[in-house]
Amino acid sequence: MRILLADDEPDLLAQYTTMLEDRGHSVVTASDGELCVTAYAKEYAISQENPFGAVVLDYSMPNMNGLDAAKEILAINPSQRIIFASAYVQETLVDSIKNLKQIVELLQKPFSLQDLIDTIEDKNIYDELTKLNVDVQNLKDLNPTHAQIRDYLDALRKIQKAKTF
């Protein structure tokens, strides 16, 4: 998966990048929100579709914070998956709903590198699918987007709920 990471702390950015690349992901980095939007716009102009499986934004960055970067990215591509990394989860959640008109995913800082990987790779969604007897490996082989996986899980939940009496 291609991932765009934006964080103003170079050591964290390097750790995230190394861990994700070790897992086979392709990572593009930015040290602030402005550079992140520029990198996103450049990649989107080339592909005209979701250029990244996920965009991970530090909420508090210089030049342009994560919320403003998310606004600009979502203006370019409303279906882009955004994950905020923030120590202020409550504030981030309220701000994102109010300003972005959609709920984004959140990672509360500090978080482990494994938490970052699990979030990006949809571990919780795949765990829930496994509980519903879905052949997860076959699903992964189809290389679905995060939105497709989430929609599939939601549909299965509705079916399961309708069968419960």
Side-chain angles (χ1 to χ4, degrees):
M1 173 186 318
R2 293 194 73 221
I3 301 162
L4 176 56
L5 292 174
D7 199 304
D8 61 329
E9 294 186 40
D11 292 342
L12 283 178
L13 204 55
Q15 285 179 349
Y16 299 162
T17 300
T18 299
M19 181 64 109
L20 290 166
E21 287 177 344
D22 286 349
R23 302 270 307 177
H25 299 288
S26 171
V27 180
V28 175
T29 62
S31 58
D32 65 47
E34 205 169 271
L35 293 171
C36 179
V37 171
T38 301
Y40 188 88
K42 177 183 170 189
E43 294 292 325
Y44 185 80
I46 295 167
S47 68
Q48 292 298 310
E49 56 185 39
N50 281 359
F52 298 99
V55 175
V56 182
L57 298 167
D58 182 13
Y59 192 72
S60 178
M61 293 184 287
N63 296 332
M64 179 185 290
N65 67 31
L67 180 64
D68 290 337
K71 278 186 209 176
E72 291 200 25
I73 289 169
L74 292 171
I76 295 168
N77 180 8
S79 67
Q80 179 58 61
R81 180 182 182 199
I82 302 286
I83 302 169
F84 280 123
S86 175
Y88 310 102
V89 171
Q90 181 74 22
E91 174 187 317
T92 303
L93 181 61
V94 169
D95 284 351
S96 67
I97 292 170
K98 184 170 40 173
N99 292 295
L100 301 177
K101 309 292 189 248
Q102 69 185 61
I103 296 175
V104 296
E105 295 169 80
L106 300 170
L107 278 167
Q108 183 166 3
K109 281 187 170 183
F111 52 82
S112 71
L113 293 173
Q114 190 61 51
D115 288 339
L116 176 64
I117 289 167
D118 289 349
T119 300
I120 287 172
E121 294 179 353
D122 294 313
K123 181 182 184 302
N124 291 337
I125 291 175
Y126 283 117
D127 287 348
E128 285 191 53
L129 288 168
T130 299
K131 289 176 187 173
L132 294 170
N133 295 319
V134 171
D135 185 340
V136 171
Q137 190 54 53
N138 279 343
L139 181 61
K140 285 182 177 181
D141 289 345
L142 297 172
N143 198 24
T145 65
H146 169 75
Q148 290 169 325
I149 297 166
R150 190 186 58 233
D151 290 347
Y152 183 54
L153 177 59
D154 289 344
L156 289 175
R157 284 179 181 151
K158 287 178 185 175
I159 291 168
Q160 183 184 36
K161 188 175 182 179
K163 288 185 176 183
T164 305
F165 32 92

